[in-house]
């Protein structure tokens, strides 16, 4: 058995560190072996060691530019590198980017995905009958939001291997990101027909249920997945109804509160506007409450219990966010009932707190 085959066997049972050690031992004997270099890049990528993974992929391409597999691995490594950042200087969720950082980040992201696209196309050119080449091309195109071309690449992979679970799931991901949830569900369903227990397929179904606010079905799927594959799913994913709903409140109240403040200000100058301001406050309140009940009632207590499993900083941010959201809704309701002009101004303050907590809780 070769070092590469031993490493793949170890990686297959989740022993990534042991697999990496096996590959490095093989590279000590054959330092320019392209198979071992590409395998090392993949193992480092799976461990989240982005810069090291790309360096190994660069070495693999340099050692064997004629092999499709080396370009596939380099494209995969480029896809997972954070936009505009190095591994050692990733921005924390709570950090604040300067206004000038936006264009450079977008430019870096474009450069990175363009390079990944060149690698993926080179992989296809070198081996046009190799499904993984089309698969990585599809993923790169999807990351660039070129969904029609991504869909076509995924279908080319499936034409070569119609029963490939990973290619069906890739197509499902593309359709989900393109907003075609029905097509995504069909692709994932076909994958699960081939492999009913596939954790990635079950995860995608739970995501699709969540996006359609099928809360009970999504949580049931995630709970079963966590029980069957505890190594594949962080149970904090079960907090999504609580945290996702809080994100919805930030968006809804971020629009509703300024509108009410504007109308309330107009009402101070022109009293005839008061009815419109109070009606807007009542409408925003009812929409937020209705949306909350639509998610929280079917979710039950499970998401709240799982909050205790979150990191302390995140847990505090979620709790503070809920207090701020509740206070904001209560203040809007109070204004709708009493027309007291101070209440919308206070709602702006609590809204600011709600928005700030969102920076500490990135799902």
């Amino acid at each position: 058995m070769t070092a590469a085959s031993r490493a793949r066997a170890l990686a297959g049972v989740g022993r990534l560190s042991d697999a990496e050690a096996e590959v490095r031992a093989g590279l000590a004997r054959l330092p320019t072996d392209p198979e071992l270099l590409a395998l090392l890049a993949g193992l480092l990528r799976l461990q989240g060691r982005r810069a090291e993974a790309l360096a190994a992929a660069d070495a693999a391409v340099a050692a064997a530019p004629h092999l499709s597999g080396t370009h596939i691995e380099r494209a995969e490594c480029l896809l997972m590198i954070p936009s505009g950042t190095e591994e050692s200087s990733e921005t924390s969720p709570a950090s604040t980017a300067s206004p000038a950082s936006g264009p450079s980040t977008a430019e870096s992201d474009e450069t990175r995905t363009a390079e990944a696209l060149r690698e993926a196309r080179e992989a296809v050119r070198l081996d046009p009958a190799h499904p993984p080449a089309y698969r990585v091309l599809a993923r790169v195109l999807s990351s660039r939001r070129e969904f029609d071309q991504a869909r076509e690449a995924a279908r080319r992979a499936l034409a070569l291997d119609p029963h490939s679970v990973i290619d069906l799931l890739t197509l499902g991901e593309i359709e989900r990101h393109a907003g075609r949830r029905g097509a995504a569900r069909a692709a994932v369903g076909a994958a699960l027909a081939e492999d009913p227990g596939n954790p990635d397929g079950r995860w995608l179904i739970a995501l699709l249920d969540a996006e359609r606010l099928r809360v009970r079905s999504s949580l049931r799927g995630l709970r079963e997945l966590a029980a069957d594959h505890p190594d594949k799913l962080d149970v904090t994913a079960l907090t999504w109804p609580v945290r996702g709903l809080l994100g919805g409140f930030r968006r809804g109240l971020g629009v509703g509160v300024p509108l009410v403040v504007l109308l309330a200000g107009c009402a101070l100058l022109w009293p005839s506007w008061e009815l419109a301001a109070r009606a807007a406050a009542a409408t925003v309140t009812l929409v937020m409450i209705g949306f909350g009940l639509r998610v929280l009632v079917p979710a039950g207590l499970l998401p709240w219990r799982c909050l205790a499993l979150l990191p302390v900083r995140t847990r505090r941010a979620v709790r503070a966010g809920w207090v701020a959201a509740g206070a904001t809704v209560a203040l809007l309701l109070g204004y709708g009932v009493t027309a007291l002009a101070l209440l919308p101004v206070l709602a702006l303050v609590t809204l600011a707190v709600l928005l700030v907590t969102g920076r500490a809780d990135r799902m």
Side-chain angles (χ1 to χ4, degrees):
M1 181 180 278
T2 65
S5 58
R6 286 193 297 270
R8 289 193 179 94
L10 289 167
V13 294
R15 295 170 59 184
L16 298 181
S17 297
D18 291 339
E20 179 189 344
E22 194 69 48
V23 170
R24 290 191 184 279
L27 285 170
R29 297 187 296 273
L30 300 168
T32 60
D33 185 294
E35 182 184 13
L36 289 174
L37 287 168
L39 184 53
L40 176 62
L43 291 169
L44 293 170
R45 175 169 54 83
L46 291 173
Q47 295 176 72
R49 293 155 62 183
R50 300 174 176 92
E52 294 176 77
L54 183 57
D58 289 342
V61 171
H66 59 286
L67 293 181
S68 176
T70 61
H71 295 279
I72 290 172
E73 187 52 54
R74 189 164 190 272
E76 291 282 10
C77 291
L78 286 165
L79 275 183
M80 57 100 67
I81 290 178
S83 303
T85 61
E86 293 296 329
E87 186 177 23
S88 60
S89 60
E90 290 182 26
T91 305
S92 70
S95 65
T96 304
S98 66
S101 68
S104 62
T105 296
E107 181 180 354
S108 175
D109 188 61
E110 172 63 27
T111 301
R112 177 176 60 84
T113 58
E115 189 175 355
L117 183 58
R118 287 193 295 272
E119 292 289 351
R121 284 177 170 160
E122 179 66 6
V124 169
R125 186 190 70 80
L126 289 169
D127 193 350
H130 191 41
Y134 290 102
R135 183 190 313 140
V136 75
L137 177 60
R139 295 185 63 240
V140 174
L141 289 166
S142 179
S143 74
R144 294 169 60 86
R145 304 193 66 79
E146 298 175 22
F147 296 120
D148 289 340
Q149 295 181 56
R151 189 179 297 115
E152 178 60 26
R155 287 174 177 164
R156 290 288 299 274
L158 284 167
L160 293 167
D161 186 0
H163 301 288
S164 170
V165 171
I166 190 170
D167 289 325
L168 285 166
L169 292 177
T170 298
L171 179 59
E173 279 277 20
I174 291 167
E175 299 290 19
R176 186 175 77 88
H177 290 304
R180 300 177 56 186
R181 295 191 180 99
R185 198 174 189 93
V188 178
L192 290 174
E194 298 287 340
D195 181 7
N198 185 276
D200 294 324
R202 293 165 65 185
W203 165 255
L204 272 174
I205 289 293
L207 282 184
L208 291 166
D209 283 338
E211 289 171 356
R212 290 190 172 184
L213 290 185
R214 297 174 177 172
V215 180
R216 190 173 286 109
S217 176
S218 175
L219 283 177
R220 182 172 60 251
L222 289 174
R223 187 169 58 246
E224 292 172 354
L225 183 57
D228 295 343
H229 300 276
D231 57 325
K232 293 279 188 180
L233 181 70
D234 185 346
V235 293
T236 59
L238 294 171
T239 64
W240 79 257
V242 173
R243 300 168 73 191
L245 181 59
L246 202 52
F249 282 165
R250 291 187 184 101
R251 292 187 290 273
L253 292 173
V255 174
V257 172
L259 174 63
V260 172
V261 170
L262 176 62
L263 293 174
C266 291
L268 293 176
L269 299 174
W270 303 286
S272 60
W273 283 71
E274 182 180 292
L275 181 61
R278 294 174 69 181
T283 300
V284 172
T285 299
L286 291 174
V287 169
M288 292 297 101
I289 291 174
F291 181 48
L293 293 176
R294 172 72 177 81
V295 174
L296 293 179
V297 170
L301 295 177
L302 180 62
W304 298 100
R305 290 170 178 162
C306 290
L307 283 180
L309 303 174
L310 293 172
V312 174
R313 179 170 168 272
T314 304
R315 186 166 66 246
R316 288 174 178 169
V318 171
R319 289 172 176 168
W322 271 98
V323 171
T328 305
V329 171
L331 288 166
L332 290 181
L333 179 60
Y335 177 73
V337 172
T338 67
L340 185 60
L342 179 61
L343 296 181
V345 177
L346 294 176
L348 270 181
V349 176
T350 56
L351 173 63
V353 174
L354 174 61
L355 296 177
V356 168
T357 63
R359 299 189 64 84
D361 178 31
R362 299 290 178 87
M363 292 193 67

